[in-house]
């Protein structure tokens, strides 16, 4: 659902987005006026895999998951998108088709710009173009890391790395530890780690017995983050935590 462009609150939110790093409020006002504000509810799709890539998005609130269906019909959960993150940029700027589908997992408000408009804005604001190039390079590096993990690392490390990535993106401190603050099924985690539902269930059960995590049907809490770091990095079991080891959780 499209809703009217708003306010200073949107400017404040957009200033936190990586795409608009080091840009002024005046520049953001112009960029904001060229886009459209969009609200979507849990379960809605912003776009489907294979659709012509018309709009790129930045989330202001809520969360979106990007999923891809492979040629043999398998679903792969590629990434979760949270507030301030840009997605669908490369496909839109290339005039291609969306390589993934984007489904809302928490009620979401986002801004959207069509490809020609964003190209004009990048031509007008070189900082915007530099930011876009940096984000695309980071995403390429991220996916290269994921491919390397799938090709070279044992499955327990991959599951630990997937949980730690989600904790960095969505983690919220609670009394028991760090809650991954989004609906996360074991099947979702299996898709992210490139393994089976059975393997994820067996691994989480073992980690619960060792006090590393607590899990329910759609929630995971990391009760001992350093323990997962040891597994993810294949460190000796008695390795003490580094001063700056744990990521900043929300």
């Amino acid at each position: 659902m499209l809703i009217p462009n708003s306010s200073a609150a949107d400017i404040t939110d957009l200033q936190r987005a990586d795409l608009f790093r080091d840009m002024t409020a005046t520049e953001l006002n112009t960029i904001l006026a060229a886009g459209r504000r969009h609200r979507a509810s849990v379960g809605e799709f912003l776009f489907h895999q294979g659709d012509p890539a018309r709009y790129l998005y930045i989330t202001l609130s809520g969360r979106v998951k990007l999923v891809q269906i492979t040629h043999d019909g398998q679903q792969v959960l590629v990434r979760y998108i949270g507030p301030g993150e840009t997605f669908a940029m490369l496909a839109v700027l290339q005039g291609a088709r969306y390589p993934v589908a984007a489904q809302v997992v928490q009620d979401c408000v986002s801004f959207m710009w069509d490809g020609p408009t964003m190209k004009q804005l990048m031509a007008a604001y070189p900082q915007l173009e530099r930011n876009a190039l940096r984000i695309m390079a980071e995403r390429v590096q991220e996916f290269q890391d994921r491919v390397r993990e799938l090709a070279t690392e044992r499955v327990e490390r991959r599951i630990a790395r997937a949980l730690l990535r989600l904790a960095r993106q969505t983690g919220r401190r609670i009394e028991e530890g760090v809650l991954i603050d989004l609906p996360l099924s074991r099947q979702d985690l299996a898709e992210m780690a490139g393994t089976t539902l059975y393997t994820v269930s067996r691994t989480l059960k073992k980690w619960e017995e060792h006090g590393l995590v607590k899990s329910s049907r759609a929630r995971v809490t990391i009760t001992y983050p350093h323990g997962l770091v040891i597994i993810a990095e294949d460190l000796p079991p008695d390795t003490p935590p580094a001063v700056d080891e744990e990521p900043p959780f929300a």
Side-chain angles (χ1 to χ4, degrees), residues 189-204:
L189 187 54
E191 291 170 13
M192 294 188 73
T195 187
T196 64
L197 174 60
Y198 171 76
T199 298
V200 165
S201 297
R202 184 183 61 185
T203 301
L204 290 181

Side-chain angles (χ1 to χ4, degrees), residues 53-218:
R54 296 180 57 199
Y55 297 101
L56 65 87
Y57 296 80
I58 289 183
T59 55
L60 300 180
S61 63
R63 298 194 186 277
V64 175
K65 68 177 181 180
L66 305 182
V67 296
Q68 187 174 66
I69 306 299
T70 66
H71 293 300
D72 59 357
Q74 298 293 315
Q75 177 175 287
V76 178
L77 199 165
V78 176
R79 197 177 198 276
Y80 281 99
I81 300 292
E85 291 193 274
T86 307
F87 59 105
M89 180 162 52
L90 183 58
V92 170
L93 295 179
Q94 288 182 328
R97 294 182 179 273
Y98 292 119
V100 295
Q103 186 178 24
V104 176
V105 294
Q106 292 177 344
D107 289 352
C108 176
V109 175
S110 58
F111 253 88
M112 51 194 284
W113 293 263
D114 62 55
T117 297
M118 184 53 72
K119 288 179 182 178
Q120 291 174 2
L121 291 169
M122 288 181 178
Y125 302 113
Q127 183 61 46
L128 179 61
E129 185 174 37
R130 287 193 291 270
N131 289 342
L133 290 171
R134 178 178 47 77
I135 291 170
M136 287 188 283
E138 289 172 353
R139 293 288 169 84
V140 169
Q141 182 62 54
E142 179 182 320
F143 287 119
Q144 286 177 335
D145 290 343
R146 292 277 299 276
V147 170
R148 176 185 52 76
E149 289 174 15
L150 291 172
T152 65
E153 295 183 357
R154 57 191 175 85
V155 68
E156 193 174 30
R157 291 187 68 187
R158 300 203 305 267
I159 297 171
R161 284 180 182 272
L163 285 175
L164 290 170
R165 273 196 298 268
L166 290 172
R168 292 186 185 97
Q169 294 170 9
T170 73
R172 178 165 60 86
R173 289 194 181 277
I174 60 174
E175 184 176 349
E176 295 173 300
V178 179
L179 172 67
I180 295 176
D181 197 14
L182 51 78
L184 179 69
S185 71
R186 296 186 177 192
Q187 182 61 44
D188 291 336
L189 187 54
E191 291 170 13
M192 294 188 73
T195 187
T196 64
L197 174 60
Y198 171 76
T199 298
V200 165
S201 297
R202 184 183 61 185
T203 301
L204 290 181
K205 181 179 179 181
K206 181 177 74 172
W207 288 351
E208 286 191 77
E209 292 171 352
H210 287 81
L212 301 180
V213 302
K214 292 184 70 174
S215 66
S216 60
R217 184 169 183 175

